[in-house]
C-alpha cells in the first residue's frame, strides 16, 4: 500500500518555485536518488522550517516507492562563499529527513573563496564527517566519478533534461488525480453503505421508484468513473514517451523518470479500474436482489388477489350447496353454478399462469425460492379444491334436480289418480264392457303409481348418491302417502269392478274418503320379486322397477333395534378379547426374549459366539425390558383378565396404573442407543444361533420393537372399545383411560425429541414441563422499523423445530443425517431460547392464515412462524395463551401480596395518613409490567 504524502504540492508550491532544491529523477551509481541544490544566493536566508518542508516533500515522493530509499545531495556552490556553504551544510544536517548516503559539494571557484573553503573545511572536516558524509569537488567533471552524465542535468554537465516549473505542474496534476481517485472511492463506498442501509418499501410503486433512483445514482457514478479514467489516461499520455529515437532526447523523457510519476499514475488508473469492476459487480448483485424483491412483491400481490378471488368463489359455491328448495330454486342454483364455473375457468387459467411464473422465478434462482414454491403449491391446492367443489356441487344439484323431477312426476301421478277417481262413477258402468274398461284404467294407473309408492328412502338416497334434505323427505313421504291412499281406494274399487265383470249386478257406491279418513297402510297390494332396485329413465317418463322385498324392508323397528344392540355387544366383546389375548401374547414374547437372549448372554458357553464388548452392552441393548415384563406379567395382565366379563372395568384398570406406564418413556429414550448396538453387532454368531434355537422367523430387533408397538396399540384398542361403549357403564372412565394413554404417547414422543437437543448450555428440565414440539418455517425480523437491504436473508424461511416449555420457547435446527434410523431418531442443534416472561404473540399475519408472530423484548425481535396447517397453529396459540395467562395470574397474586404488605405497614404506622408516593409509583410499575407481560 502506498504511503500518503505528508505535504501536497499545492501547499508548498510557493517554496518550490524559490529554487531551494529539486528532484530531477536521476540516480547515482550506487542507485541513490539525487536531490540537487542549485546556485541560490538567498539560500542562507531561507528559514529552516521551510527547508524542512521542501526536503520532507521531496523525500516523501521517493518513499512512496520504498521506505528504504537512499539519497545523494548535490550542492552547487561554485559562485558562493565558504561562510554561506558552511551555513547550508548546517541547515541540511538539521533538516534532512531521509537516509542520507552522500553529499557532493561543488566548492566556490574564486581563488579567495576556494582558499577559505579548503582551509575552513580542513579544520571543520571532522565535525562534518561525524554528521554528514561530505565530499568536496573542485569541478563538474569530478561529479562523473560518482554519477553518470545521463543522470545529471545540463547545468551540471549531464544530458538529463529537467524543467522545474513543468515538474511542479505535473506533480500538481498527479496529486489532484490521486485525490480525485480517493474521493471517488469514498463516494462508491458511501453509495454501497447507503444501498445496504436502504429501508425496503412495502408497496410496488415505492419499490419501483427506489429501484429507479438507485439506477440513476449508479449511472451518475459510472459517468464520474468514466471521467476520472479519461483524466488519468490523458495524464498518463503526457507522461509516456513515444517509441522513437528522437524521443530519447525529448523533454517528455524526463517526466517518465521523475520520481516514478508514470508508475504512480498507472497504479492509480489500475485502482480506478478495480474499483469500477468491483462497483459493477456490487451493483449487478444489488440490482438483481432489488428486481427479485420487486418480482416477489408482484408475485405475492397477484397471489393474494387470486387467493381472495378463489376464496370468494369457494364461498359462493358453498352457498349454492344447499339442496333444499323447490325444483325452480334448484334449477336457478344450477344456472348460478354454471355461471360460477365459467368464472372459475378464467380464474384457474390465471392461477396456472401465476404458477408457471413462479416456476420461472424458481428456475432463475430467486432468493425467496422456498416461499415461491410454497405459494405455488398453495395456489395449486386451492385451484384443485375449487374445481373439485364446483364439480361436486354440480353433480349434487343435478341429482337433486332429477329427484325433484321424480317428485313432480309423482305429484302428476297423484293428480291423475284423483281425476280418475272422480270420473269413475259406478252408475256409469252398468255394462260388463264399461266395467272392464274401468278395471283396465285402474290397473294401468296402479302400474304407473306402484314405483312411486313402494320405494325406500334410504335406497333412493343410495341410488341417487345424495343426502335427502328433511324437506325433500317430507315431500316424498307426503306424496307416497297420498298415492298409497289412492291405491287403497282403487284396490277396493278394483275388487268391485271385478265383481261387476263376473256378475252383472249393481255394485256398491264407493265414496272417496277425505284426507282425515285416508288409509295409511303402506303394504303393497302385490308381492314383488326379491332383489335390489334400480332407477331407469325412458324418454320423458321416469319409471321405477321395484325388485326388492318391501315387506322385508318394512320389518318392525323394535326387532331391528334389538338386533343392533346384540351386534354391538358382540363386537365389544370381540375387542375386549383381542385386548386380553394380545396382552398374553405380548407378555410371552417378552419372556422369550429375556430368557432366550438376555439371560444367555451371561452363559459362559455362549461367550465364544459374541465379542467381549457386546457382553458389557446387555443393559443398553435390552434397556428396561425386564422391568416392563415384571409389570405386565405380575400386575397388568391379571387385571385385564379380570375385565373379561366386565368391560366397564377396563377404564379403571388403565387409570389405576397410569403412573406405572411411565417405564415405557425410559425404554423409548434408550431405543436409539439400543439400535446403534444392534446395528453394530447384528451379524454376530450369537444372535443367529439364538434365533435358530428359539425358532424365531424374525430377528431380535423385531422383538426389541415390541414394547414401542404395544404402548401404541393400547390407545387403538381403547378407541375401538369406546366406539362400542357409548352411553354404557364405564364409558367415562374408558374415555379418561384413552386420554391418559394418548398423553403418555405424547409425553414419550416429546421426551425422545428433547434428548436429541445438542448445544443447549444449561439444564432443559429447568425450563419446566415440555408442552409441545414441532417443525415450523421461521422468518426473523430483527429490531423495530422497516426491512433493510442487508436483511434480505429473512425472506428465505429457516426450517426450525420449536420446543414449547412452561418457561421458554427453544428454537432448534434439525440436523440432516444419513443412515438407517436417522428418520426415526432426529437430532437437533440448539439455536436460541426465548424466556416466556418476555414473549408476546400476534395471532394473525397478513397473507397466510397459518402464520403467527412470536415477539420478544417489546418487539425488539420478531419471529414470523408458519405452521404446517391451521390446526397446528391454533393448538400452539392456545397453549402459549394459557402460559401467558398463568404468568399474568401469578403477577396479579404477587401484586396483591405487595399491596397486602404495604397495608400492614400502614396499619403499623397510623400516624402516616397520607398515601405514600413510593407505593403509588410501585403500583404503577406493577401495572405497566403486567401490561407488558400481556
Amino acid at each position: 500500500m502506498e504511503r500518503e504524502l505528508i505535504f501536497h504540492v499545492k501547499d508548498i508550491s510557493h517554496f518550490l518555485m524559490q529554487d531551494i532544491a529539486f528532484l530531477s529523477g536521476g540516480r547515482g551509481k550506487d542507485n541513490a536518488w539525487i536531490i540537487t541544490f542549485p546556485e541560490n544566493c538567498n539560500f542562507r536566508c531561507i528559514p529552516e522550517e521551510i527547508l524542512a518542508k521542501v526536503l520532507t516533500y521531496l523525500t516523501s515522493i521517493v518513499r512512496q516507492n520504498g521506505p528504504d530509499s537512499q539519497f545523494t545531495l548535490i550542492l552547487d556552490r561554485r559562485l558562493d562563499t565558504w561562510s554561506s556553504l558552511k551555513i547550508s551544510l548546517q541547515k541540511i544536517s538539521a533538516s534532512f529527513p531521509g537516509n542520507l548516503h552522500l553529499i557532493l559539494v561543488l566548492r566556490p571557484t574564486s581563488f579567495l573563496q576556494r582558499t577559505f573553503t579548503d582551509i575552513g573545511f580542513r579544520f571543520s572536516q571532522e565535525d562534518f564527517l561525524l554528521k554528514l558524509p561530505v565530499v568536496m569537488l573542485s569541478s563538474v567533471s569530478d561529479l562523473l566519478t560518482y554519477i553518470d552524465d545521463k543522470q545529471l542535468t545540463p547545468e551540471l554537465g549531464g544530458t538529463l533534461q529537467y524543467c522545474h516549473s513543468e515538474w511542479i505542474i505535473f506533480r500538481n496534476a498527479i496529486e489532484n488525480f490521486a485525490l480525485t481517485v480517493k474521493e471517488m472511492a469514498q463516494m462508491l463506498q458511501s453509495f454501497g453503505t447507503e444501498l445496504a442501509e436502504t429501508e425496503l418499501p412495502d408497496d410496488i410503486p415505492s419499490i419501483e421508484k427506489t429501484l429507479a433512483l438507485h439506477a440513476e445514482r449508479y449511472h451518475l457514478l459510472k459517468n464520474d468513473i468514466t471521467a476520472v479514467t479519461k483524466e488519468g489516461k490523458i495524464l498518463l499520455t503526457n507522461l509516456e514517451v513515444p517509441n522513437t529515437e528522437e524521443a530519447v532526447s525529448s523533454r517528455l523523457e524526463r517526466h517518465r523518470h521523475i520520481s516514478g510519476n508514470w508508475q504512480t499514475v498507472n497504479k492509480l488508473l489500475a485502482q480506478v479500474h478495480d474499483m469500477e469492476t468491483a462497483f459493477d459487480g456490487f451493483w449487478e448483485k444489488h440490482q438483481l436482489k432489488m428486481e427479485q424483491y420487486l418480482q416477489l412483491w408482484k408475485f405475492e400481490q397477484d397471489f393474494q388477489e387470486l387467493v381472495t378471488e378463489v376464496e370468494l368463489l369457494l364461498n359462493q359455491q358453498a352457498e349454492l350447496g344447499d339442496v333444499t328448495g323447490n325444483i325452480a330454486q334448484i334449477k336457478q342454483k344450477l344456472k348460478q353454478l354454471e355461471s360460477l364455473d365459467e368464472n372459475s375457468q378464467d380464474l384457474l387459467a390465471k392461477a396456472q399462469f401465476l404458477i408457471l411464473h413462479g416456476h420461472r422465478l424458481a428456475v432463475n434462482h430467486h432468493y425467496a425460492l422456498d416461499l415461491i414454491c410454497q405459494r405455488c403449491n398453495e395456489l395449486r391446492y386451492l385451484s384443485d379444491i375449487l374445481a373439485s367443489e364446483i364439480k361436486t356441487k354440480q353433480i349434487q344439484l343435478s341429482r337433486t334436480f332429477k329427484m325433484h323431477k321424480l317428485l313432480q312426476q309423482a305429484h302428476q301421478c297423484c293428480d291423475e289418480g284423483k281425476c280418475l277417481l272422480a270420473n269413475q262413477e259406478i252408475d256409469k258402468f252398468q255394462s260388463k264392457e264399461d266395467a272392464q274398461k274401468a278395471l283396465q284404467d285402474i290397473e294401468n294407473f296402479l302400474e304407473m303409481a306402484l314405483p312411486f309408492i313402494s320405494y325406500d328412502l334410504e335406497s333412493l338416497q343410495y341410488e341417487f348418491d345424495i343426502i335427502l334434505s328433511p324437506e325433500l323427505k317430507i315431500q316424498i313421504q307426503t306424496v307416497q302417502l297420498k298415492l298409497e291412499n289412492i291405491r287403497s281406494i282403487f284396490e277396493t274399487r278394483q275388487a268391485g269392478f271385478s265383481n261387476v265383470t263376473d256378475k252383472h249386478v249393481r255394485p256398491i257406491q264407493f265414496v272417496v274418503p277425505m284426507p282425515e279418513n285416508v288409509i295409511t297402510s303402506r303394504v303393497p297390494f302385490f308381492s314383488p320379486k326379491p332383489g335390489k332396485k334400480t332407477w331407469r329413465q325412458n324418454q320423458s317418463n321416469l319409471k321405477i322397477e321395484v325388485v326388492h322385498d318391501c315387506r322385508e324392508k318394512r320389518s318392525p323397528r323394535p326387532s331391528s333395534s334389538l338386533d343392533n344392540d346384540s351386534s354391538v355387544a358382540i363386537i365389544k366383546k370381540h375387542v375386549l378379547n383381542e385386548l386380553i389375548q394380545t396382552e398374553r401374547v405380548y407378555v410371552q414374547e417378552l419372556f422369550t426374549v429375556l430368557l432366550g437372549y438376555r439371560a444367555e448372554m451371561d452363559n459362559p458357553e455362549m461367550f465364544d459366539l459374541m465379542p467381549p464388548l457386546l457382553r458389557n452392552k446387555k443393559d443398553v441393548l435390552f434397556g428396561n425390558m425386564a422391568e416392563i415384563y415384571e409389570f405386565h406379567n405380575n400386575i397388568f395382565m391379571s387385571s385385564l383378565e379380570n375385565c373379561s366379563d366386565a368391560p366397564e372395568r377396563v377404564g379403571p384398570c388403565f387409570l389405576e396404573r397410569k403412573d406405572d406406564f411411565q417405564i415405557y418413556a425410559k425404554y423409548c429414550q434408550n431405543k436409539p442407543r439400543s439400535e446403534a448396538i444392534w446395528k453394530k453387532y447384528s451379524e454376530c454368531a450369537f444372535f443367529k444361533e439364538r434365533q435358530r434355537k428359539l425358532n424365531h422367523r424374525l430377528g431380535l430387533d423385531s422383538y426389541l420393537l415390541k414394547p414401542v408397538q404395544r404402548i401404541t396399540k393400547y390407545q387403538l384398542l381403547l378407541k375401538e372399545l369406546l366406539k362400542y361403549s357409548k352411553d354404557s357403564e364405564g364409558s367415562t372412565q374408558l374415555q379418561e383411560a384413552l386420554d391418559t394413554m394418548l398423553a403418555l404417547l405424547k409425553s414419550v414422543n416429546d421426551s425422545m425429541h428433547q434428548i436429541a437437543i445438542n448445544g443447549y448450555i444449561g439444564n432443559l428440565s429447568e425450563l419446566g414441563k415440555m408442552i409441545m414440539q414441532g417443525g415450523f418455517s421461521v422468518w426473523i425480523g430483527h429490531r423495530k422499523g422497516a426491512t433493510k437491504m442487508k436483511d434480505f436473508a429473512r425472506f428465505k424461511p429457516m426450517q426450525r423445530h420449536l420446543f414449547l416449555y412452561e418457561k421458554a420457547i427453544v428454537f432448534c435446527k434439525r440436523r440432516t443425517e444419513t443412515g438407517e434410523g436417522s428418520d426415526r431418531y432426529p437430532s437437533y442443534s440448539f439455536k436460541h431460547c426465548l424466556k416466556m416472561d418476555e414473549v408476546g404473540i400476534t395471532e394473525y399475519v397478513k397473507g397466510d392464515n397459518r402464520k403467527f408472530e412470536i415477539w420478544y423484548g417489546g418487539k425488539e425481535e420478531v419471529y414470523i412462524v408458519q405452521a404446517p396447517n391451521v390446526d397446528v397453529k391454533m393448538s400452539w396459540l392456545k397453549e402459549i395463551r394459557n402460559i401467558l395467562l398463568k404468568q399474568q395470574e401469578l403477577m396479579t397474586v404477587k401484586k396483591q401480596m405487595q399491596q397486602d404488605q404495604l397495608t400492614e405497614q400502614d396499619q403499623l404506622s397510623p400516624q402516616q395518613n397520607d398515601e405514600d408516593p413510593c407505593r403509588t409509583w410501585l403500583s404503577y410499575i406493577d401495572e405497566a409490567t403486567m401490561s407488558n407481560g400481556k
Side-chain angles (χ1 to χ4, degrees):
M1 181 177 178
E2 292 186 359
R3 296 168 174 261
E4 291 192 4
L5 296 176
I6 301 176
F7 300 106
H8 295 281
V9 70
K10 62 180 181 180
D11 301 326
I12 60 171
S13 60
H14 174 69
F15 305 132
L16 290 173
M17 293 299 294
Q18 294 180 14
D19 286 337
I20 298 173
F22 62 83
L23 186 68
S24 64
R27 295 198 183 192
K29 292 181 180 180
D30 50 9
N31 208 32
W33 291 88
I34 298 173
I35 296 179
T36 304
F37 291 81
E39 282 285 357
N40 190 337
C41 60
N42 296 321
F43 188 84
R44 62 187 303 169
C45 301
I46 297 174
E48 285 189 13
E49 59 269 16
I50 294 177
L51 178 61
K53 287 183 179 180
V54 172
L55 293 178
T56 299
Y57 175 72
L58 294 177
T59 54
S60 65
I61 293 174
V62 174
R63 281 198 296 268
Q64 284 184 295
N65 298 319
D68 298 328
S69 301
Q70 293 182 332
F71 296 90
T72 295
L73 306 186
I74 300 178
L75 269 71
D76 187 2
R77 291 296 180 263
R78 288 174 291 178
L79 301 179
D80 211 342
T81 63
W82 162 246
S83 60
S84 178
L85 173 59
K86 185 177 180 180
I87 293 172
S88 297
L89 290 173
Q90 291 173 345
K91 285 185 177 182
I92 291 172
S93 175
S95 305
F96 194 80
N99 184 4
L100 190 56
H101 175 66
L102 189 63
I103 298 179
L104 301 176
V105 180
L106 290 174
R107 62 183 179 178
T109 56
S110 66
F111 176 77
L112 184 60
Q113 291 301 323
R114 183 174 59 185
T115 303
F116 288 155
T117 299
D118 291 342
I119 297 172
F121 182 70
R122 187 178 299 117
F123 286 102
S124 306
Q125 186 174 10
E126 291 184 2
D127 295 336
F128 281 123
L129 289 176
L130 290 175
K131 298 180 181 179
L132 301 173
V134 180
V135 176
M136 287 290 179
L137 302 177
S138 300
S139 63
V140 172
S141 59
D142 294 341
L143 285 173
L144 299 178
T145 306
Y146 301 94
I147 303 171
D148 190 90
D149 62 344
K150 293 179 180 180
Q151 304 296 325
L152 294 172
T153 54
E155 61 269 20
L156 296 178
T159 59
L160 179 62
Q161 299 297 320
Y162 174 79
C163 177
H164 192 54
S165 59
E166 287 186 5
W167 182 88
I168 294 174
I169 293 172
F170 273 108
R171 282 304 307 174
N172 192 47
I174 292 169
E175 291 179 11
N176 286 339
F177 179 65
L179 183 61
T180 302
V181 171
K182 181 179 179 181
E183 292 175 349
M184 188 77 249
Q186 291 174 345
M187 289 172 60
L188 296 181
Q189 184 177 3
S190 176
F191 181 61
T193 303
E194 180 183 338
L195 292 184
E197 296 293 335
T198 298
E199 294 182 354
L200 297 176
D202 55 0
D203 61 278
I204 292 176
S206 299
I207 297 172
E208 291 175 339
K209 182 179 179 181
T210 301
L211 187 57
L213 289 174
H214 288 176
E216 183 180 356
R217 290 280 306 281
Y218 165 75
H219 290 300
L220 289 174
L221 287 172
K222 279 289 290 183
N223 293 336
D224 292 342
I225 293 174
T226 303
V228 171
T229 303
K230 184 178 179 181
E231 177 187 346
K233 287 181 177 180
I234 292 173
L235 184 58
L236 194 65
T237 303
N238 291 331
L239 293 173
E240 285 179 345
V241 179
N243 190 19
T244 61
E245 290 294 333
E246 296 178 358
V248 174
S249 60
S250 67
R251 291 194 308 163
L252 293 176
E253 181 185 14
R254 62 184 176 275
H255 302 302
R256 185 166 66 98
H257 297 289
I258 297 176
S259 304
N261 289 341
W262 187 89
Q263 292 88 342
T264 300
V265 175
N266 195 41
K267 286 182 180 179
L268 290 172
L269 275 175
Q271 289 179 13
V272 173
H273 175 72
D274 293 342
M275 282 193 301
E276 184 175 17
T277 302
F279 180 61
D280 287 340
F282 166 77
W283 171 253
E284 184 179 350
K285 293 180 181 178
H286 171 80
Q287 188 181 38
L288 177 62
K289 280 190 175 182
M290 283 297 294
E291 287 175 351
Q292 289 184 345
Y293 182 65
L294 179 60
Q295 290 169 352
L296 181 63
W297 265 95
K298 289 182 177 179
F299 179 82
E300 186 71 16
Q301 178 175 288
D302 294 341
F303 170 79
Q304 295 299 338
E305 290 176 356
L306 279 175
V307 168
T308 301
E309 294 182 33
V310 170
E311 290 177 347
L312 178 61
L313 288 184
L314 282 172
N315 292 333
Q316 290 176 354
Q317 66 83 25
E319 294 174 358
L320 296 176
D322 184 12
V323 295
T324 59
N326 54 37
I327 188 170
Q329 292 171 330
I330 298 297
K331 189 174 183 180
Q332 179 63 26
K333 288 180 180 179
L334 275 171
K335 289 182 179 180
Q336 293 176 355
L337 195 61
E338 184 178 352
S339 174
L340 204 64
D341 188 28
E342 292 177 359
N343 295 336
S344 71
Q345 295 304 316
D346 295 336
L347 190 59
L348 292 176
K350 291 180 182 178
Q352 187 62 30
F353 179 79
L354 186 61
I355 291 172
L356 291 175
H357 177 57
H359 288 168
R360 284 195 295 270
L361 293 178
V363 169
N364 292 329
H365 308 291
H366 196 285
Y367 70 85
L369 174 64
D370 293 343
L371 178 62
I372 291 172
C373 291
Q374 173 190 321
R375 290 291 192 243
C376 289
N377 292 335
E378 291 177 11
L379 202 56
R380 190 180 292 108
Y381 172 76
L382 286 174
S383 300
D384 293 343
I385 290 294
L386 178 62
S388 175
E389 288 294 324
I390 291 179
K391 184 177 180 181
T392 302
K393 293 295 185 301
Q394 285 177 329
I395 294 173
Q396 289 179 346
L397 288 174
S398 297
R399 290 173 177 171
T400 305
F401 181 74
K402 289 180 181 180
M403 181 65 73
H404 276 280
K405 291 287 288 184
L406 176 65
L407 185 61
Q408 193 177 54
Q409 291 177 359
H411 276 294
Q412 291 174 358
C413 181
C414 191
D415 294 339
E416 289 177 7
K418 290 179 182 179
C419 182
L420 188 59
L421 281 174
N423 291 333
Q424 284 187 342
E425 296 179 5
I426 299 300
D427 292 339
K428 294 181 180 180
F429 307 115
Q430 300 301 324
S431 67
K432 182 177 180 179
E433 291 76 11
D434 292 337
Q436 287 179 341
K437 184 179 183 304
L439 184 62
Q440 185 63 42
D441 291 340
I442 291 173
E443 290 177 352
N444 291 338
F445 172 78
L446 290 176
E447 182 182 356
M448 178 182 68
L450 179 61
F452 300 108
I453 297 171
S454 55
Y455 64 72
D456 176 71
L457 287 177
E458 293 183 2
S459 300
L460 186 67
Q461 185 170 274
Y462 173 78
E463 289 292 335
F464 275 87
D465 195 21
I466 61 172
I467 299 176
L468 298 177
S469 65
E471 179 185 2
L472 195 57
K473 285 182 180 179
I474 292 173
Q475 292 181 31
I476 293 173
Q477 290 171 346
T478 303
V479 174
Q480 185 185 37
L481 188 60
K482 289 181 180 179
L483 287 173
E484 282 194 13
N485 294 335
I486 294 172
R487 186 212 64 184
S488 299
I489 297 172
F490 272 127
E491 184 181 349
T492 305
R493 184 169 292 187
Q494 187 182 37
F497 282 129
S498 296
N499 292 333
V500 172
T501 57
D502 295 337
K503 301 176 183 178
H504 189 63
V505 297
R506 183 180 180 85
I508 302 171
Q509 180 71 39
F510 296 103
V511 179
V512 179
M514 296 301 290
E516 57 269 24
N517 300 324
V518 170
I519 302 172
T520 60
S521 173
R522 297 185 60 182
V523 181
F525 65 94
F526 73 101
S527 178
K529 298 177 182 180
K532 73 172 191 176
K533 72 173 187 178
T534 60
W535 294 90
R536 300 185 302 181
Q537 184 175 1
N538 297 324
Q539 297 176 357
S540 61
N541 294 327
L542 183 67
K543 293 186 178 180
I544 306 170
E545 180 184 359
V546 179
V547 292
H548 71 282
D549 191 343
C550 295
R551 289 188 180 91
E552 183 179 342
K553 282 286 184 180
R554 292 180 178 85
S555 58
R557 290 185 181 273
S559 175
S560 175
S561 177
L562 289 173
D563 292 342
N564 184 54
D565 291 342
S566 177
S567 63
V568 168
I570 292 173
I571 296 174
K572 183 177 178 180
K573 181 68 174 176
H574 173 75
V575 174
L576 181 56
N577 287 337
E578 181 183 358
L579 175 60
I580 296 173
Q581 291 300 326
T582 54
E583 182 71 14
R584 291 169 179 161
V585 173
Y586 172 58
V587 171
Q588 181 61 35
E589 287 176 337
L590 293 181
F591 177 75
T592 302
V593 171
L594 292 171
L595 186 64
Y597 283 98
R598 193 179 190 279
E600 288 296 319
M601 291 182 73
D602 296 327
N603 185 355
E605 296 179 0
M606 292 289 171
F607 286 174
D608 293 338
L609 300 179
M610 70 181 85
L613 292 176
L614 178 60
R615 294 201 298 269
N616 299 326
K617 302 292 184 180
K618 178 178 61 176
D619 292 337
V620 178
L621 180 62
F622 295 94
N624 62 329
M625 181 182 283
E627 185 182 6
I628 294 174
Y629 169 75
E630 293 294 334
F631 164 66
H632 284 271
N633 184 59
N634 298 335
I635 300 174
F636 191 66
M637 186 170 66
S638 58
S639 298
L640 273 183
E641 289 173 340
N642 293 335
C643 302
S644 58
D645 297 325
E648 66 276 4
R649 298 178 188 169
V650 173
C653 178
F654 278 88
L655 291 174
E656 289 169 3
R657 294 158 183 84
K658 64 180 181 180
D659 293 336
D660 295 323
F661 281 101
Q662 292 298 326
I663 57 179
Y664 279 91
K666 182 179 178 181
Y667 186 85
C668 292
Q669 290 171 8
N670 179 69
K671 199 70 178 66
R673 300 171 61 205
S674 173
E675 288 194 0
I677 293 176
W678 170 254
K679 184 179 179 181
K680 185 175 180 180
Y681 297 104
S682 59
E683 299 299 323
C684 174
F686 168 77
F687 293 126
K688 294 184 180 297
E689 175 64 17
R690 295 314 303 162
Q691 182 178 348
R692 186 185 64 81
K693 286 284 187 182
L694 294 171
N695 199 24
H696 283 175
R697 289 185 300 170
L698 301 175
L700 174 62
D701 57 326
S702 299
Y703 290 93
L704 292 176
L705 197 60
K706 292 292 182 180
V708 180
Q709 295 171 336
R710 187 59 182 172
I711 196 65
T712 307
K713 182 73 173 177
Y714 283 132
Q715 55 95 12
L716 298 175
L717 292 171
L718 288 174
K719 280 182 182 177
E720 196 69 14
L721 195 60
L722 183 63
K723 179 180 178 182
Y724 299 103
S725 303
K726 295 294 184 183
D727 301 326
S728 62
E729 184 183 357
S731 61
T732 303
Q733 292 90 337
L734 201 58
Q735 180 65 55
E736 291 179 9
L738 174 59
D739 294 340
T740 299
M741 297 310 295
L742 289 173
L744 173 65
L745 286 176
K746 178 183 178 302
S747 174
V748 171
N749 184 53
D750 290 345
S751 67
M752 293 292 292
H753 286 274
Q754 176 171 305
I755 64 174
I757 298 176
N758 298 298
Y760 179 79
I761 301 175
N763 190 351
L764 286 170
S765 61
E766 295 177 356
L767 302 180
K769 178 184 176 183
M770 185 195 296
I771 309 298
M772 304 184 78
Q773 53 82 25
F776 295 86
S777 295
V778 178
W779 291 261
I780 300 179
H782 284 289
R783 313 294 181 263
K784 300 177 182 177
T787 306
K788 297 182 180 180
M789 275 294 298
K790 62 183 180 181
D791 297 326
F792 253 114
R794 81 174 187 87
F795 291 102
K796 184 176 181 180
M798 299 176 294
Q799 299 306 314
R800 291 290 181 263
H801 204 89
L802 271 58
F803 295 83
L804 176 63
Y805 292 88
E806 291 177 318
K807 298 180 181 180
I809 300 178
V810 175
F811 287 72
C812 295
K813 180 180 180 180
R814 181 164 182 160
R815 291 200 302 222
T816 304
E817 297 182 357
T818 58
E820 186 180 355
S822 59
D823 54 339
R824 277 203 309 273
Y825 306 117
S827 179
Y828 303 103
S829 295
F830 171 77
K831 290 300 178 181
H832 51 274
C833 177
L834 306 181
K835 299 296 184 182
M836 290 303 296
D837 53 5
E838 295 188 51
V839 163
I841 56 174
T842 302
E843 298 190 9
Y844 298 99
V845 176
K846 182 180 178 183
D848 196 332
N849 58 359
R850 296 175 299 167
K851 289 182 180 178
F852 62 97
E853 283 185 354
I854 300 175
W855 42 268
Y856 189 69
K859 292 198 173 182
E860 270 296 304
E861 298 178 13
V862 178
Y863 300 86
I864 301 173
V865 180
Q866 183 186 62
N869 53 61
V870 177
D871 293 338
V872 173
K873 167 190 169 180
M874 299 310 296
S875 62
W876 273 73
L877 289 177
K878 177 183 176 182
E879 295 298 337
I880 294 174
R881 280 197 300 265
N882 289 340
I883 294 174
L884 297 180
L885 184 60
K886 289 179 181 178
Q887 287 184 351
Q888 183 180 357
E889 291 174 352
L890 290 174
M891 292 177 66
T892 303
V893 171
K894 181 179 178 182
K895 177 185 175 183
Q896 185 62 44
M897 292 175 63
Q898 290 176 347
Q899 290 179 345
D900 292 344
Q901 290 175 358
L902 292 173
T903 302
E904 291 177 1
Q905 292 176 2
D906 290 342
Q907 291 174 352
L908 293 174
S909 303
Q911 67 275 15
Q912 297 178 355
N913 296 323
D914 295 336
E915 183 179 14
D916 187 357
C918 294
R919 176 184 173 186
T920 306
W921 179 242
L922 180 62
S923 301
Y924 172 80
I925 292 175
D926 287 340
E927 292 172 3
T929 305
M930 280 189 61
S931 300
N932 291 333
K934 296 178 183 178

